[in-house]
Amino acid sequence: MPSIPMMYTFDPQTRVHTGSRPAQVVGGKPLTQSAYATATPPPDVISEGKVARWTGTQWELVEDHRQHLDSTGTKQGGTPFWLAGEDDWQSPPRYTEDLGPLPAGAMTTRPEKPLSVVREEKEHEIRSACDAAIIASLTMPAARPSATEVSMAAASLAAVDPDGPDTLLALHAARRDELLALVRAADSVAAVQAVEVSYAV
């Protein structure tokens, strides 16, 4: 008995290759004509990010950026993208439901935060670190001193050195102002992010 040919199935809507099966045999003859299968095998090698799609006469390789449902029905994978001129750094990623390349103007990396926002965040980090440095300088080795402990430490320092608290504040404030000046002089997001926030404690 002659071998039964394989049929290569495709999705009725997307026409994307879905698998293979032996041809049905009727009256001793294999049926190689089918609405959603072909006897033509798909390409042996399908590169990552592409799928084989039946055109009606042959298989073609097309980009596939879609998300796919896992066994629980949850969308997984896909290529996140943002549209230039429409999305910003706060925009959630978009996903396409169509086969083929991403839309014109699509970017696969999230838009950068604007320089003004990055500056504001860095300045907040500098001021918060300054406050933490002052507290640490007064209360070491306490890891999480209470407000009362901070006040008592400052009073103790003042009792020993009346100018001590002011000297300590001036030292950290000078470092804070130095860091803030670096941030304000930075002319790019990378330059702002390169400013290392550190205080001598």
Side-chain angles (χ1 to χ4, degrees):
M1 180 177 176
S3 61
I4 300 174
M6 293 297 294
M7 298 294 289
Y8 302 92
T9 57
F10 50 85
D11 183 88
Q13 294 180 318
T14 64
R15 304 183 76 78
V16 168
H17 177 236
T18 56
S20 61
R21 61 169 174 78
Q24 291 179 298
V25 178
V26 177
K29 291 184 179 181
L31 297 180
T32 56
Q33 298 294 320
S34 174
Y36 304 119
T38 175
T40 303
D44 291 332
V45 178
I46 300 175
S47 57
E48 186 176 355
K50 292 190 176 183
V51 291
R53 179 171 62 185
W54 183 245
T55 67
T57 57
Q58 63 182 3
W59 294 100
E60 63 177 354
L61 296 181
V62 293
E63 293 180 45
D64 186 9
H65 298 280
R66 304 170 301 163
Q67 291 184 297
H68 299 276
L69 298 180
D70 63 13
S71 58
T72 65
T74 303
K75 287 186 175 181
Q76 298 287 343
T79 303
F81 69 94
W82 293 262
L83 290 179
E86 294 185 34
D87 298 329
D88 62 20
W89 61 277
Q90 294 176 301
S91 301
R94 299 172 184 255
Y95 291 91
T96 184
E97 296 184 0
D98 301 320
L99 286 168
L102 293 173
M107 304 176 296
T108 54
T109 55
R110 183 183 293 277
E112 282 192 346
K113 293 179 182 179
L115 180 58
S116 60
V117 172
V118 177
R119 273 202 185 114
E120 184 179 329
E121 290 177 347
K122 183 63 80 169
E123 288 175 358
H124 176 74
E125 178 188 353
I126 290 168
R127 290 190 173 92
S128 296
C130 181
D131 294 341
I134 292 169
I135 292 171
S137 296
L138 288 170
T139 62
M140 281 175 35
R144 295 178 180 274
S146 65
T148 301
E149 290 174 312
V150 173
S151 297
M152 290 176 60
S156 297
L157 176 60
V160 176
D161 178 4
D163 295 328
D166 289 339
T167 301
L168 185 63
L169 289 173
L171 175 68
H172 290 308
R175 175 60 176 163
R176 177 200 63 205
D177 293 344
E178 176 189 354
L179 292 171
L180 289 173
L182 289 173
V183 169
R184 289 165 186 155
D187 58 1
S188 69
V189 168
V192 172
Q193 293 173 336
V195 175
E196 183 179 349
V197 180
S198 62
Y199 290 85
V201 177

